Amino acid sequence: MSDVRIGIFVCHCGKNIGGVINVPEVTEYAKTLPDVVYAEHNLYTCSAEGISSIRQKISEHKLNRVVVASCTPRTHETLFRNACEAAGLNKYLFEFVNIRDQCSWVHMQEPEKATEKARDLIRMGVAKARLLEPLEEVEIRVTPSCLVIGGGVAGMSAALNLANQGFEVYLVERDKELGGLLLNLNRLFTINGKAEEVIIPLIERVKNHQKIKVHTSTEVKGVAGFIGNFDVTLDQKGEERKIKVGTIIVATGAEVLKPVGQYGYGDKSNILTQLELEERLNKGMGDEQNIVMINCVGARIPERPYCGRICCMVAIKNAVLIKENDPRAKVWVLHRDLMTYGTEFEKYYQKAMEKGIRFIRYSLDKPPEIVGNNKVKAVKVYHQLMGKEMVLPCDMLVLTTPLIPHEDNQDISRMLRVSLSEHGFFLEAHLKLQPVEFATDGIYICGCARWPTDVPEAISQACAASAKAVIPMRRGYVRPEAITASVNEDKCSGCGTCVLLCPYNAIELQSKDGKKLAHITTAQCKGCGTCGAACPSGAISMNHFRDEEILAQVEALVI
Amino acid sequence: MNNSVLIIGGGIAGIQAAIDSANMGFQVCLVEKSPSIGGRMAQLDKTFPTNDCAMCILAPKMIEAGQHANIKLLTYSEVLSVEGEVGKFKAKIKKKARSVDEEKCTGCGICIEKCPWKADSEFDAGMGKRKAIYVPFPQAIPNVPVIDREHCAYFLKGKCRACERFCEAGAINYDQEDEIIEVEAKAIILATGFDLYDPTPLREYGYGRIQNVITAMEYERLSSASGPTAGELKRPSDGKIVSDIAFIQCVGSRDVRSNRYCSSVCCMYGTKEAILAYEHRPGTKSTIFYIDLRAVGKRFQEYIQRAEDEYNITYIRGRPGNIELNRRNQNPTIWYEDTTTGETKSLEVELAILCQALIPPRDIQKTASILSIELDEYGFVKTPDGLSHPVDTTRAGILACGCVHSPKDIPDSVVQASAAAARAAEILSGGT
Amino acid sequence: MAKLKLACYWAASCGGCDVAILDLNERILQVADLADIVFWPIAVDFKHHDVEAMPDKSIDFCLFNGAVRNSEQEEIARLLRDKSKIMVAFGSCAHLGGIPGLANFNNRTQIFERAYLEAQSNDNPDKTLPQTSSKVSEGELELPEFYDTVKALNQVVGVDYYVPGCPPPVPIISKVIDAIASQKLPPKGSVFASDKSLCDECPRTKGEKKIKKLYRPHEIIPDPEQCLLEQGILCMGPATRGGCGALCIKANMPCRGCFGPLPSVSDQGAKMLSALASIYDIDIKDEVAMAQMVEEVVDIAGSFYRFCLPTALINRRRM
Amino acid sequence: MRNETQVKKSGFEPKILAFCCNWCSYAGADLAGTSRIQYAPNVRVIRVMCSGRIDPTFILRAFQVGVDGVLILGCHPGDCHYIDGNYKTARRIHMLKKMLSQLGIEDDRLRLDWVSAAEGKRFASIINDMTERIRALGPFVR
Amino acid sequence: MTLEDIIKETKTYYCLECGKCSSLCPISRHNPSYSPRLMLEKALTGFEGDLINDQELFSCLTCYNCSLKCPADVDYPLFMQKVRTLAFAQGRYGVPADSGILQSFMRLMLNPAIEQRRLEWLSDEYRISEKGNILFFVGCAPYFEFAFEDFEAGALNIAKDSLKILNTLGIEPMVLADEKCCGHDLLWTGDVESFRKLAEHNARIIKESGAKKIIFSCPEGYRTFKFDYPHYVDLDCELQHITEFLAENMGKGMLDFKEVKKKVTYQDPCRLGRHLGVYEQPRKLIEAIPGIELIEMEHTRDESICCGTSAWTNCDAYSKQIRTERLLEAKATGAEMLITACPKCQIHFRCAMVSKGEEKGPDVEMDVMDIVNLVASALEDNGSE
């Protein structure tokens, strides 16, 4: 260890610190600490002259460690780190000691105790600073191209937004053509426009955009690497292709639940799902006079507790289409709550009521029953709000089922090393802070693959995902904080304890000349330290929070 | 300011749009009417469905926006006019005088401590007081106080000047004037959020007449640790800590006499607030009157289920007719029909909370005329082609996100904010 | 070159280490012609005063096994240190405190009460306890002082090398002998074992380190191929030095940590606890499961510090 | 709050080490500061990125060097910035407390609790409560 | 007019089944088996039979307390009226009060052959005129005198005092000898045909009288002329309730009151208040009398509670409970007198305070007086007593 030359800057912060803690005395004390070659106190270290003083003293006293004792690192650490960097000192050779928010401000009536505490805290800070090592923020180049998995309305919208900003997009779609779920929809609720009117122009714009390379009937076979450098293997009808992309957007959508075994679906000819009804509406309805719809089929039940969010609207839209097609038809919608939230949907619900569609609320413990053996003739329902059994004549029974995740979400999640939520949809990093990002950097999520959504919400999420993907691609590099974990391969015995602990799946066992060793992808590691604390051989060391540094602080606590 | 975006409104949506645009390398000017960014979310104690504290989510984003090199914060400011068209907008912004020099102030808070004059705190929804010189809430960004000239003794009667005397940084400047700032921008994002429906016109619910009938936002402030009662659910009439409360959904929503639309989030925040009550005092009993329990988002249904199983919350399907006052103990008595049994009954509780609707910002008409964009029949921003361009407005180059577009929860607002940033980026790189 | 002088001693231990030396079988002959045993109370008849008579540093190397539990052991340890060039802490007791070190859960008073008063087999009506000196008809009898705390060798005298194991396996003993013979000794203070944990040489296959429940060895017949810890058996392997050739593992029994902590680990017990608690897959909000976890790891301190309590960070129970 | 007479009489001022996680409890501590909530000066805080970073070795070392009490403050379960670091902390500390009791270390000397970024008051009350408990237990003699 | 047509006309299909109407309905608060929402659900779900034959169909007071607050803009009383028309056509009708004597009066008037001696009560102290612009519509007051023996209906006094006040204002209104019942109760119990005959008769004689403006003392008549007659006859006269008329003309100094030291409270009749929106004029009138202290009840103006019976039908124990509670509410204000502006409210309240033999009368004693009587009694007695 070259000779350590620590400089310490104690801040008065006006009266905030100086008014309680005897700053000059504490500064003198700091001078007595081993390896401290310079110590000063100033009125406002964070002010312009405070910063310039730090930079000046670093070169003047050839300091190779800096400790600032002032407010809280949460707001000012970046400021002082940049000051050190500007003076040519690696910014991780800096330690922050909080003697305001966690000392002077909270021990105002006990100045001597506060001063003693400040001395202890500074001693601990210096003890850690002495062992700090320079760290380089590894700059990872980001390839300015994006892989969009899924060619539905979400995938295409994301691709278009990216391409319009000049980025190269690989749009991969499993089916023969683009369009996804919207292809077999007849009309879209709220504006009642024909599904084609939305999806066809979208497909045209995608196909004609030279920045978008469309790969239909293609599947993603494998993804390796990390943000900025994903090596993707595509499988186009047996023929494999390798591409390199910087970011990935998952827009694989979802599928409609086929309620096999419920209400006689499958063995009675006049029972359809809403999707099948859409096709019937496209081709033209028969002369059915009595249509009964049952909502929440296969949803909000113990096995599948979630609400499908848009199925109520699909049901109401189809009911309105039936009435517009044949006003004499009698349409009943049996529901357990009508989820027409927001301004547009509630207005559409009123329109349905105007058209004479009648809504009956049933309860989970008294579900409707089907009458009729090979064809449904009637539906018995216990009207929950009237407390009375009703028998509705029924020529056609439509079951409203929720969107469910594709089975192969499991494979995609394992391939991209992203996690699924308990319902089987993809799990975003944070519902509010990062709704369209995965915990793994560089991979984003939008559309029904994340949660059942309607078309406008899917397009919003697609644009949001594109915005998030554009950030690293526009900057050209990512510089994750250097606080990451690293494995010392001479100490690692490959016991595997750390692998499952990492919430970001950044650790895996790789075989190296016959032996299994833990390997951490620095780009994916967020530096939480959970693996470091658990490693029984002490083989994982946490940059900037190494065991030795923390133990030095602990030992410095008691003189 | 060549590649620049003007963002109006500093709530969670405005902040998110600003951060995304700035991270994409564009210059951002974020204009916020109140002294600090943070918006409505800053007033919330906890947020559904994760019940994590609102400030834990919001503070990191506020700090990032406050310190971002590409973001220029103009708080305590209003947009006066916008000329030009997409790619070449010119906006005039009035930066109201804070009477405090932002450069010099270090946010030490001595002036607030020493100021003897008090006023109703808007942040605490009128439930608490603040000083004449104030910062809306402890974690405000910028952490620079503002002198409320209507309640400051110096501006009213020319005496006091306590803040100036105690300010070490010499930052108090009484004769600071409003400033007009010119800002150029290629795209504009409107994110001015929402206001809350004042339930007074619904006289049957007795808001304003019965002390222990309060709105959901007032409850949120009571329950918040930084609120007027430091988090203790003390009811207004006698300060008694409540343990038997009721929530009424759809107050001002799905009602011909106020707003016919559904405000999307009240079912969820109603349950959240009931859970907060139980968390503050285990054993608290909550009753929630609803007609459709719209828990449609991720983990919302489980949230409701847990509320019922673990937090002593009872859901009754029925919209209360009116609230009467039991004079002896100031308890509100709620008359309702339990529509699943057809019985008309009354329930006396210690505190009744009205889950008020989300309505467009009160100055939306003015904003719409300044930006010359159209509003829909409810007063929210109109999206001409809602299906394929959900965040566009009727004027090219101007985008809208968050609740100013239509009522939605925080996750959807954040998604729309990023979407608006993406659309703006398209415009800024030459698209339309 | 002149034959080396070898000294062995058996302090607070079970004598297994001495037997282990004999386990060299025919190789003991190689030792015999390599060195003269100048002190080995169990095997040869040299007395304490013989050692005192030797000039300092005259013994080439001393294999000292056993912890230091009383004043006599300490005295001899100091004596042998002065007389020997190389002092080797031989076996877990000398290296880490070993099984006798577990006495640090108690102190002398408790130990004497248990041994001489409470034990059912006692016949001690007038409750006599051993004294350092007692007057009897024959004269004054002296006994070494019985310390409250058991110490490892390096807590009493300087130690040059450590031979881990309870007892040290034969391959390691012969390696020590060869090293001494060839005078090619590793740097002072090193441990004759692998610097990696037992997992590095463990033959079993490793899958996912995730356990729902911990079984006592008799509660489950483990699969012979798969990692024991992953099957829910407490195996100290991950936190213990390798080098023993996974003898216990091959006998379908979990490692109990006799080789001591890894080089960069200062407390074997703390590290094993951290690893084990981290991979326990239970919901922390479920009080029953959490209480269950603590019950399942029977005698946590005893299991994790089985061989190294005296050298642990908290090396004895606070009374 | 602490009453003065009690401190004077025994004269013992406990030395307590607290580990706070950067995102929640450290922010909660800062909030106690910005809200000027006064609490006992006996605690020294070490900041770590996540409560999951705290290795039981640090805690044992703390007791070994003569600290009287150790306090671990993490995010409320579900709040963790790194998704579930605090879940592992909970299990480790739960098991460590059992081991410490076998080593004769009183249960109150090690405490795990959750503090969010908005719970300044809660942080202060935990600090005061911990100081009183350790004062009652007396100094930690090895 | 089928049930579907009724649903369309009254916009009942907008019903959110939220139960707000039931929780505001005075009847359902007392009668557990009565729920306006359930009634409406039967229509929506096509249980026409149940609906028509429902015993409670005629219990609805049509007091508009529900519709005024209905979030779905359903006109419930109109829905009730239309359904009752259907029911009546199938021979269904409610339980008439006082063994149907009132209904028989109305039906008698249908018979053109029967001569009414309507103006018997008109002594010469009340000056009326043959020709003129203003007509005072007396309504059924004369018939009410005979309907009730065990208490004083007082309806005729209202008519007399109305004339007295008008005369004091120098107005000698026309009063038609062959005036017939306005048909309100028949319409609201579904007998549309009888209602049409009465409406046509009244319209004819009023047109013949050349009246330009009709003043009513009974709000039910006023509401019927204003909202229902236009659907059946065309009669373009200005219509006013007497309180509106007096409030307008009071200011001209024609009415000078003597001091009346009294604490009073005011019952907003459903028809005058919620139906017609007349809230302020009666109050202005009362407060114009010096010495009077008007104290509002807890439920007042558009939230006031109905007197418990309508159209002389389905008056039962629950109606009695409603009335009793309303009287107790009036007493709770500390007022000595309950002022109302509708002869029927006055009758129902007075009837409630008289024990009807089988049940014990309520322990509520309260003077109930029509506003017209109050005003008349407060006039300076220069006119004839």
mmCIF file of all heavy atoms in Angstrom, chain B residues 182-199:
data_model
loop_
_atom_site.group_PDB
_atom_site.id
_atom_site.type_symbol
_atom_site.label_atom_id
_atom_site.label_comp_id
_atom_site.label_asym_id
_atom_site.label_seq_id
_atom_site.Cartn_x
_atom_site.Cartn_y
_atom_site.Cartn_z
ATOM 1 N N GLU B 182 -37.930 33.720 -21.023
ATOM 2 C CA GLU B 182 -38.252 33.219 -22.381
ATOM 3 C C GLU B 182 -37.624 31.818 -22.513
ATOM 4 O O GLU B 182 -36.455 31.617 -22.169
ATOM 5 C CB GLU B 182 -37.596 34.134 -23.425
ATOM 6 C CG GLU B 182 -38.403 35.373 -23.757
ATOM 7 C CD GLU B 182 -39.201 35.195 -25.081
ATOM 8 O OE1 GLU B 182 -38.784 34.303 -25.866
ATOM 9 O OE2 GLU B 182 -40.222 35.860 -25.254
ATOM 10 N N VAL B 183 -38.406 30.890 -22.989
ATOM 11 C CA VAL B 183 -37.857 29.527 -23.168
ATOM 12 C C VAL B 183 -38.245 29.028 -24.549
ATOM 13 O O VAL B 183 -39.396 29.187 -24.978
ATOM 14 C CB VAL B 183 -38.469 28.565 -22.093
ATOM 15 C CG1 VAL B 183 -38.126 27.114 -22.436
ATOM 16 C CG2 VAL B 183 -37.968 28.927 -20.714
ATOM 17 N N GLU B 184 -37.249 28.517 -25.262
ATOM 18 C CA GLU B 184 -37.561 27.921 -26.577
ATOM 19 C C GLU B 184 -37.653 26.399 -26.400
ATOM 20 O O GLU B 184 -36.944 25.818 -25.574
ATOM 21 C CB GLU B 184 -36.426 28.215 -27.576
ATOM 22 C CG GLU B 184 -36.509 29.593 -28.195
ATOM 23 C CD GLU B 184 -35.135 29.980 -28.783
ATOM 24 O OE1 GLU B 184 -34.377 29.026 -29.097
ATOM 25 O OE2 GLU B 184 -34.831 31.167 -28.847
ATOM 26 N N ALA B 185 -38.534 25.797 -27.174
ATOM 27 C CA ALA B 185 -38.628 24.323 -27.051
ATOM 28 C C ALA B 185 -39.144 23.749 -28.355
ATOM 29 O O ALA B 185 -39.908 24.404 -29.071
ATOM 30 C CB ALA B 185 -39.581 23.955 -25.913
ATOM 31 N N LYS B 186 -38.692 22.519 -28.660
ATOM 32 C CA LYS B 186 -39.171 21.868 -29.893
ATOM 33 C C LYS B 186 -40.461 21.105 -29.606
ATOM 34 O O LYS B 186 -41.283 20.888 -30.472
ATOM 35 C CB LYS B 186 -38.094 20.897 -30.417
ATOM 36 C CG LYS B 186 -36.921 21.602 -31.090
ATOM 37 C CD LYS B 186 -36.103 20.600 -31.935
ATOM 38 C CE LYS B 186 -35.170 21.362 -32.874
ATOM 39 N NZ LYS B 186 -34.137 20.446 -33.416
ATOM 40 N N ALA B 187 -40.597 20.681 -28.358
ATOM 41 C CA ALA B 187 -41.816 19.928 -28.008
ATOM 42 C C ALA B 187 -42.210 20.337 -26.596
ATOM 43 O O ALA B 187 -41.378 20.810 -25.807
ATOM 44 C CB ALA B 187 -41.537 18.422 -28.049
ATOM 45 N N ILE B 188 -43.504 20.195 -26.312
ATOM 46 C CA ILE B 188 -44.011 20.554 -24.980
ATOM 47 C C ILE B 188 -44.762 19.350 -24.406
ATOM 48 O O ILE B 188 -45.530 18.683 -25.118
ATOM 49 C CB ILE B 188 -44.963 21.771 -25.077
ATOM 50 C CG1 ILE B 188 -44.189 23.002 -25.580
ATOM 51 C CG2 ILE B 188 -45.605 22.055 -23.727
ATOM 52 C CD1 ILE B 188 -45.063 24.232 -25.784
ATOM 53 N N ILE B 189 -44.499 19.048 -23.143
ATOM 54 C CA ILE B 189 -45.236 17.956 -22.471
ATOM 55 C C ILE B 189 -46.035 18.575 -21.328
ATOM 56 O O ILE B 189 -45.483 19.244 -20.456
ATOM 57 C CB ILE B 189 -44.263 16.874 -21.923
ATOM 58 C CG1 ILE B 189 -43.464 16.250 -23.072
ATOM 59 C CG2 ILE B 189 -45.032 15.820 -21.142
ATOM 60 C CD1 ILE B 189 -42.444 15.203 -22.630
ATOM 61 N N LEU B 190 -47.353 18.350 -21.384
ATOM 62 C CA LEU B 190 -48.234 18.879 -20.331
ATOM 63 C C LEU B 190 -48.449 17.777 -19.293
ATOM 64 O O LEU B 190 -48.848 16.660 -19.640
ATOM 65 C CB LEU B 190 -49.576 19.299 -20.960
ATOM 66 C CG LEU B 190 -50.607 19.909 -20.003
ATOM 67 C CD1 LEU B 190 -50.076 21.201 -19.367
ATOM 68 C CD2 LEU B 190 -51.911 20.209 -20.765
ATOM 69 N N ALA B 191 -48.139 18.082 -18.027
ATOM 70 C CA ALA B 191 -48.298 17.059 -16.976
ATOM 71 C C ALA B 191 -48.760 17.753 -15.699
ATOM 72 O O ALA B 191 -48.143 17.633 -14.639
ATOM 73 C CB ALA B 191 -46.958 16.360 -16.739
ATOM 74 N N THR B 192 -49.864 18.492 -15.800
ATOM 75 C CA THR B 192 -50.263 19.308 -14.645
ATOM 76 C C THR B 192 -51.193 18.532 -13.703
ATOM 77 O O THR B 192 -51.797 19.123 -12.810
ATOM 78 C CB THR B 192 -50.997 20.574 -15.142
ATOM 79 O OG1 THR B 192 -51.884 20.165 -16.186
ATOM 80 C CG2 THR B 192 -50.015 21.586 -15.704
ATOM 81 N N GLY B 193 -51.322 17.225 -13.945
ATOM 82 C CA GLY B 193 -51.968 16.383 -12.916
ATOM 83 C C GLY B 193 -53.457 16.668 -12.777
ATOM 84 O O GLY B 193 -54.140 16.931 -13.769
ATOM 85 N N PHE B 194 -53.921 16.630 -11.530
ATOM 86 C CA PHE B 194 -55.381 16.722 -11.312
ATOM 87 C C PHE B 194 -55.653 17.528 -10.057
ATOM 88 O O PHE B 194 -54.742 17.832 -9.263
ATOM 89 C CB PHE B 194 -55.966 15.310 -11.128
ATOM 90 C CG PHE B 194 -55.403 14.585 -9.922
ATOM 91 C CD1 PHE B 194 -56.024 14.680 -8.688
ATOM 92 C CD2 PHE B 194 -54.234 13.840 -10.022
ATOM 93 C CE1 PHE B 194 -55.496 14.034 -7.570
ATOM 94 C CE2 PHE B 194 -53.701 13.192 -8.922
ATOM 95 C CZ PHE B 194 -54.326 13.296 -7.694
ATOM 96 N N ASP B 195 -56.884 17.914 -9.891
ATOM 97 C CA ASP B 195 -57.362 18.465 -8.616
ATOM 98 C C ASP B 195 -58.379 17.492 -8.031
ATOM 99 O O ASP B 195 -58.775 16.529 -8.702
ATOM 100 C CB ASP B 195 -58.003 19.845 -8.850
ATOM 101 C CG ASP B 195 -56.976 20.958 -8.566
ATOM 102 O OD1 ASP B 195 -56.202 20.775 -7.600
ATOM 103 O OD2 ASP B 195 -56.919 21.933 -9.329
ATOM 104 N N LEU B 196 -58.740 17.759 -6.809
ATOM 105 C CA LEU B 196 -59.649 16.826 -6.145
ATOM 106 C C LEU B 196 -61.022 17.474 -6.025
ATOM 107 O O LEU B 196 -61.144 18.669 -5.751
ATOM 108 C CB LEU B 196 -59.099 16.457 -4.757
ATOM 109 C CG LEU B 196 -57.864 15.542 -4.863
ATOM 110 C CD1 LEU B 196 -57.094 15.529 -3.546
ATOM 111 C CD2 LEU B 196 -58.305 14.119 -5.228
ATOM 112 N N TYR B 197 -62.065 16.669 -6.236
ATOM 113 C CA TYR B 197 -63.452 17.157 -6.205
ATOM 114 C C TYR B 197 -63.793 17.599 -4.786
ATOM 115 O O TYR B 197 -63.509 16.897 -3.809
ATOM 116 C CB TYR B 197 -64.378 16.017 -6.635
ATOM 117 C CG TYR B 197 -65.847 16.337 -6.545
ATOM 118 C CD1 TYR B 197 -66.469 17.180 -7.485
ATOM 119 C CD2 TYR B 197 -66.620 15.838 -5.494
ATOM 120 C CE1 TYR B 197 -67.817 17.488 -7.388
ATOM 121 C CE2 TYR B 197 -67.970 16.138 -5.398
ATOM 122 C CZ TYR B 197 -68.564 16.960 -6.340
ATOM 123 O OH TYR B 197 -69.900 17.253 -6.242
ATOM 124 N N ASP B 198 -64.389 18.800 -4.675
ATOM 125 C CA ASP B 198 -64.816 19.284 -3.351
ATOM 126 C C ASP B 198 -66.245 18.785 -3.129
ATOM 127 O O ASP B 198 -67.168 19.198 -3.828
ATOM 128 C CB ASP B 198 -64.770 20.820 -3.351
ATOM 129 C CG ASP B 198 -65.446 21.365 -2.084
ATOM 130 O OD1 ASP B 198 -65.845 20.536 -1.224
ATOM 131 O OD2 ASP B 198 -65.567 22.590 -1.964
ATOM 132 N N PRO B 199 -66.432 17.854 -2.193
ATOM 133 C CA PRO B 199 -67.746 17.206 -2.043
ATOM 134 C C PRO B 199 -68.817 18.091 -1.396
ATOM 135 O O PRO B 199 -69.921 17.596 -1.132
ATOM 136 C CB PRO B 199 -67.448 16.006 -1.127
ATOM 137 C CG PRO B 199 -66.029 16.053 -0.761
ATOM 138 C CD PRO B 199 -65.453 17.356 -1.213
#
